[in-house]
Amino acid sequence: MKLPHCHDKAFVYFVVMMLIMSVMVRQGQGHTCSNTFFSALVQLLPCRTAVSPFSPIPPSETCCNAIKTLGQPCLCVLVNGPPISGVDRSMALQLPDKCATNFDPCELARK
């Protein structure tokens, strides 16, 4: 099946972006993260209300369990990765403290 030319470029762009994001997650900040960017992001869906801009809602128990399961390297990569619509990075950085994890704090990469 032959796709139209404009879809070929879009597909190639999508694949390249997914590969780049996957490498970013795996490298982390000198630590390893065994998840791809997308799977790490999906794992943190329960935290969405707690990291929405200006949200007064604390993280739920489900969110905190997801944070603990995901781990510090993957959380730091997500926070320092490409912008995620509807996510306040500073609120995401506060999740480990709000969830009483023993993670080292994430450092924001300077861009």
Side-chain angles (χ1 to χ4, degrees):
M1 180 174 147
K2 179 78 174 144
L3 295 173
H5 182 66
C6 65
H7 292 291
D8 289 342
K9 286 183 181 180
F11 179 74
V12 170
Y13 177 76
F14 175 76
V15 170
V16 169
M17 288 306 296
M18 292 306 292
L19 288 172
I20 290 170
M21 287 181 199
S22 176
V23 169
M24 287 171 57
V25 169
R26 291 175 193 270
Q27 288 178 346
Q29 296 174 326
H31 306 281
T32 58
C33 174
S34 60
N35 296 15
T36 64
F37 184 88
F38 184 73
S39 67
L41 188 59
V42 168
Q43 191 170 347
L44 289 182
L45 282 176
C47 299
R48 184 175 177 141
T49 57
V51 297
S52 296
F54 309 109
S55 174
I57 300 170
S60 65
E61 183 178 344
T62 305
C63 170
C64 290
N65 288 336
I67 291 289
K68 292 171 186 172
T69 300
L70 185 64
Q72 188 260 6
C74 292
L75 178 64
C76 292
V77 170
L78 283 173
V79 168
N80 283 299
I84 303 167
S85 179
V87 173
D88 182 318
R89 288 178 194 266
S90 64
M91 293 180 84
L93 285 170
Q94 295 171 19
L95 285 175
D97 285 338
K98 289 180 178 180
C99 290
T101 64
N102 58 357
F103 293 168
D104 289 333
C106 297
E107 292 182 24
L108 282 177
R110 299 184 193 250
K111 295 181 181 185

